[in-house]
Amino acid sequence: MTKAGNIIIIGNGMVGHYCAEQLVMHGLHETHAIHIFGDELHDAYDRVHLTEYMSGRDALALRLHVEDFHAAHELTLHRGVRITGIDRAAQTVESAEGSLPYDTLILATGSTPFVPPVPGNTGMAGLVYRTLDDLDMIRAAAEGATHGVVIGGGLLGLEAANALAGLGLSTAVVEFAPRLMPVQLDDEGGAALKQRIEALGIQVLTAHATQEIVAGETHRHRLIFADGTSLETDLVVFSAGIRPQDWLARDCGLAIGARGGVIIDDTCRTSDPAIFAIGECACWNGQVFGLVAPGYTMARTVASTLAGEEAAFSGADMSTKLKLLGVDVGSIGDAHGATPGSRSYRFIGEVDGSYRRLVLSEDGSQVLGAVLVGDNAYYDTILQYVQNSIKPPADPAALILPRGEGAELLGADALPDTAMICSCHNVTKGAICTAIDDGCADFSSLKQCTKASTGCGGCAGLLKSVFETELEARGITVDRSLCEHFSYTRQELYSLVRVHGIQTFEDLMAQYGNGGIGCDICKPAVGSILASAWNKPITDPLYIPLQDTNDTFMANMQKNGTYSVVPRIAGGEITPEKLIVLGQVAKKYDLYTKITGGQRIDLFGARLEQLPDIWLELLDAGFETGHAYGKSTRTVKSCVGSTWCRYGVQDSVRKALDLENRYKGLRSPHKLKFAVSGCTRECAEAQSKDVGVIATENGWNLYVCGNGGMRPRHAELFATDLDADTLVKYIDRFLMFYIRTADKLQRTSVWRENLEGGLDYLKDVIINDSLGICEELERQMQLVVDRYHCEWRDALTDREKLKRFRTFVNDSRPDPNIRTVPERDQIRPADNLPETVASAGPSHWTPLCGQVDLVENSGVVAWHDGSQIALFYLPATENTSARVYAIDNHDPFSNANVIGRGIMGDLKGQLVVASPLYKQHFRLEDGHCLEDPTVQLRTWDARLENGKVEIRAKTETNALDLVTA
């Protein structure tokens, strides 16, 4: 087909690429030749999640499209080709490749980081945080450095600070304004954010103007501030805002905004009818938009206009929800209360540094905006009130009060069809309803059809709620099955296990499953249920295939494939002798040591084969496993209480010891954390735990369902002035009721929020025995307590179990990819190296290891000529012979050698292994990644022959035909 003309897009960032997708969606690639020019050599990548590149993800994982997107749609992508000029009269663009004519030109050149003209801002004192190449330069500058500074305390500046901290640098943020995030937050919000970030060990200097950067004495550089003070550092990253990249438009004479940016009308057309501008380089009504969502809306407008459709850009909601350095921050609508006559409600949590502000119109009839610091659980509800002008509740303050006291979330059924669910892709509730009516009956199909929640992902929770509500409104039963293998919820499976006395995964599958061998969802969930119900050793061969790597090896896997070791230090109490042992062990095995928030000592960097030796020494010294690797009771934190403190009214340490020793080893849907404070001064922070106990003059107050972490929740007062026996009785009942009724991976806080009847109902069940089950709950708990065993002691006394703790089953060498670098007198992991492709493998069948080295329904790893080969073994059944699969042990998404420690299962009839780090699934037959078809692991032909595992280089023959019994 002859093309009608050329459409050229200058810019291959998120907005430029999205514009190309929109042109394709409108069929314009069939009528026009489309060219995309990008300065970078990379494919278009996700800048919203750029920080993940610093934490181990590679550029490929951030790519926004499948590998053959451009070729499949006959688009021409010019990677690394910079446009140097635009000739409007001739309608051509100029580059090193020559001149190319256009009929329509779309400027998507984005923005550039603004680097203030501070003397000395060169080299490692003039870094920026914008592109993958910028991040590579920051990583290189951090080699041998100990301290880093970010100049700029806005959104991107705090992301950059997070990256520096992730590189192990002591980090400081310097902000010219009197508060952090001055555009989004008010003074109180900025102060709350500062408090939280400083609590993470990052120094924050607000109202500081950097005058110059000179050579340092103890570090590479010294920042001199306007007030005469200074700060020494090894590298400086500037994140002081952005400027529209509009020089091409200026040079060719297009109209430019007063503060920069290419002026556009409502169709995104510039002062030249043949040229459009979108994204951060565009200026609409005097505004330049620095978020991706408005850029996407502009791209849709241009594509629709070029396709002959009516479309107009009418501005954008600049509401923002994100997590900075682990801290939730949200800004909605008129966050500063700039609307004349507006009034505000404020909630200030001085203890945990949380802050929420709700802005209402003068007459209180409309919610105008909000500021949230510390908990974005309120964001979706308030955003809908603002965007859809929903009348606020009778007491508007309820929208920002702690959930135990305030209004419940706004129901999906209360939203109008015009409610914006996904602002990145302009998806309304009405569009979701239409997609459902057109046949989208599962969540993944809905996302694929509408693209909702495929941008920043912040709307996922609300999207799921709307989807399920609308399905139910249409009389469609919402499938809440655990997974494809079990048509039951976790709660229902727990009841089946208890009622029928089921003790193995195989029996549960045979009686209530849908067939198959299970997957990485149901296997760990059932393993947890069996442990909660019967407390059998998780190291039993029957249970090993069910466990994630942490439970399998009874240690927490870190990003480089090593493990952390956390012995139990009940109540935080430890003798000097045991402290010395921990130091000796850490020194002997070169482990990084750190005090945890739960009053324990974490030892990082243990290789797989070192774990048994480390634990043998710890057990000999009187330690036992701390269960830090499991969804189980973790710690019972305590203050010193009445034994030492002048304010203490009860012995909180003794109580913490009693509770931890009673509930240690208890498996549950999610981790459990306790704390005991000896008085109401609350030094143990009991009101932020799943179970919190605070001493009174008359006994103990019990708090339940709190947690810290990514969504903090204040625990609720459950009962007061309890004696010791009643306290334990109530905790027994509470925990077993939670274990019986919670969903998989559901914290007590979320479980409590979903309980119909709320706290009053929970009290009625636990205190008043309204369901008549309390005696049974107590018996179940006592069974678990009586069957407690130290899982590491159990493993160390069984030679067969110890065979699992080998990096390679046929070689004694350690993993050569595990490397460390020195840092602050200790060590940290060096960046994982991409795989160096070794030989393709032997051309003829070659013995690799013995069949006895394999683990049924699970994986091990063997070494062959520089290659690490993960071997997964399916034993013979009545209908099938034994099978073994050989696949590369290298995880391409983390560059760690860990695939052999993943869970083997089947998804839609395909045998797969789930990476133990980031859970991508790889087909055992051919190594293809289900989540990203462009990624493939090497595989080898494998068979069992005369008690040996043999491999050879992959042939076209199906592996199923090559294995013998």
Side-chain angles (χ1 to χ4, degrees), residues 7 33 76 106 209 249 316 336 479 558 571 573 632 693 714 718 871 911:
I7 299 176
T76 304
I106 303 170
H336 292 280
D479 185 4
Q558 304 304 312
E573 183 179 72
S632 59
V693 179
H714 203 281
F718 189 76
L871 300 171
L911 287 173

Side-chain angles (χ1 to χ4, degrees), residues 98-428:
S99 179
L100 184 67
Y102 66 83
D103 295 275
T104 299
L105 180 63
I106 303 170
L107 301 179
T109 49
S111 60
T112 56
F114 172 63
V115 179
V118 176
N121 64 355
T122 59
M124 285 185 280
L127 301 166
V128 294
Y129 190 89
R130 190 70 175 163
T131 68
L132 289 172
D133 292 340
D134 293 337
L135 268 62
D136 286 337
M137 293 177 66
I138 292 172
R139 186 185 282 118
E143 290 292 330
T146 60
H147 191 279
V149 164
V150 176
I151 295 181
L155 297 175
L156 199 59
L158 296 179
E159 289 277 6
N162 186 33
L164 296 188
L167 291 172
L169 303 181
S170 297
T171 303
V173 176
V174 177
E175 168 57 45
F176 175 75
R179 63 179 181 273
L180 294 174
M181 292 182 63
V183 174
Q184 291 82 14
L185 302 183
D186 59 11
D187 288 340
E188 292 87 349
L193 180 59
K194 179 181 178 184
Q195 177 183 337
R196 281 181 166 254
I197 290 178
E198 287 179 333
L200 298 172
I202 292 177
Q203 184 181 7
V204 177
L205 301 174
T206 53
H208 274 64
T210 306
Q211 295 288 87
E212 63 176 326
I213 303 173
V214 299
E217 296 180 2
T218 59
H219 295 277
R220 296 170 186 161
H221 311 288
R222 176 186 294 171
L223 278 65
I224 308 297
F225 300 120
D227 62 2
T229 60
S230 64
L231 175 66
E232 296 219 349
T233 188
D234 293 308
L235 59 93
V236 181
V237 178
F238 281 89
S239 184
I242 58 173
R243 297 293 183 269
Q245 189 159 251
D246 56 15
W247 65 272
L248 278 172
R250 290 178 186 272
D251 286 355
C252 72
L254 292 177
I256 303 296
R259 302 183 63 180
V262 189
I263 293 176
I264 60 172
D265 62 16
D266 290 352
T267 63
C268 299
R269 203 182 300 267
T270 69
S271 55
D272 185 327
I275 302 177
F276 295 81
I278 57 177
E280 294 172 339
C281 70
C283 176
W284 177 84
N285 276 8
Q287 277 186 285
V288 173
F289 299 92
L291 298 177
V292 69
Y296 282 0
T297 304
M298 292 178 187
R300 288 192 296 270
T301 301
V302 170
S304 297
T305 299
L306 293 177
E309 301 171 6
E310 289 289 330
F313 178 75
S314 57
D317 177 16
M318 297 299 285
S319 298
T320 308
K321 176 175 70 170
L322 64 164
K323 187 178 290 291
L324 298 167
L325 295 157
V327 180
D328 279 349
V329 179
S331 177
I332 299 172
D334 182 11
H336 292 280
T339 303
S342 62
R343 300 179 298 162
S344 296
Y345 291 91
R346 289 178 172 87
F347 174 84
I348 301 173
E350 293 182 350
V351 174
D352 61 0
S354 62
Y355 171 75
R356 295 185 284 278
R357 177 184 181 182
L358 187 74
V359 181
L360 273 75
S361 59
E362 185 173 12
D363 61 2
S365 65
Q366 187 175 355
V367 180
L368 301 177
V371 175
L372 306 170
V373 177
D375 187 355
N376 272 338
Y378 304 81
Y379 183 92
D380 288 341
T381 293
I382 297 175
L383 181 66
Q384 294 304 323
Y385 274 98
V386 172
Q387 289 186 335
N388 299 293
S389 300
I390 298 173
K391 184 179 179 180
D395 180 10
L399 292 174
I400 58 171
L401 288 174
R403 284 287 180 226
E405 306 163 32
E408 294 299 319
L409 294 175
L410 186 67
D413 54 350
L415 299 176
D417 284 349
T418 55
M420 184 63 65
I421 306 301
C422 174
S423 57
C424 286
H425 293 286
N426 198 37
V427 183
T428 63

Side-chain angles (χ1 to χ4, degrees), residues 764-834:
D764 209 25
V765 171
I766 302 305
I767 299 175
N768 301 325
D769 196 15
S770 61
L771 299 180
I773 61 172
C774 285
E775 186 176 338
E776 181 185 352
L777 296 176
E778 291 171 25
R779 283 199 309 270
Q780 291 173 3
M781 179 61 78
Q782 195 57 49
L783 174 69
V784 172
V785 172
D786 292 341
R787 287 185 174 177
Y788 170 77
H789 53 275
C790 174
E791 291 160 353
W792 262 109
R793 189 173 298 281
D794 175 67
L796 289 173
T797 55
D798 189 323
R799 294 186 62 181
E800 283 301 308
K801 293 175 180 177
L802 288 177
K803 285 169 60 177
R804 293 279 293 163
F805 295 89
R806 293 181 290 176
T807 297
F808 306 111
V809 295
N810 63 343
D811 197 293
S812 60
R813 77 184 72 202
D815 181 354
N817 196 34
I818 294 176
R819 303 168 302 112
T820 60
V821 294
E823 180 172 273
R824 296 188 297 275
D825 299 324
Q826 295 203 75
I827 54 102
R828 68 167 175 85
D831 290 339
N832 296 332
L833 296 174

Side-chain angles (χ1 to χ4, degrees), residues 830-874:
D831 290 339
N832 296 332
L833 296 174
E835 184 178 33
T836 301
V837 178
S839 65
S843 57
H844 301 287
W845 287 115
T846 302
L848 191 62
C849 64
Q851 184 171 347
V852 296
D853 293 315
L854 302 178
V855 177
E856 292 187 0
N857 299 305
S858 189
V860 297
V861 181
W863 177 270
H864 182 270
D865 192 24
S867 294
Q868 298 189 29
I869 303 175
L871 300 171
F872 290 90
Y873 175 44
L874 276 174

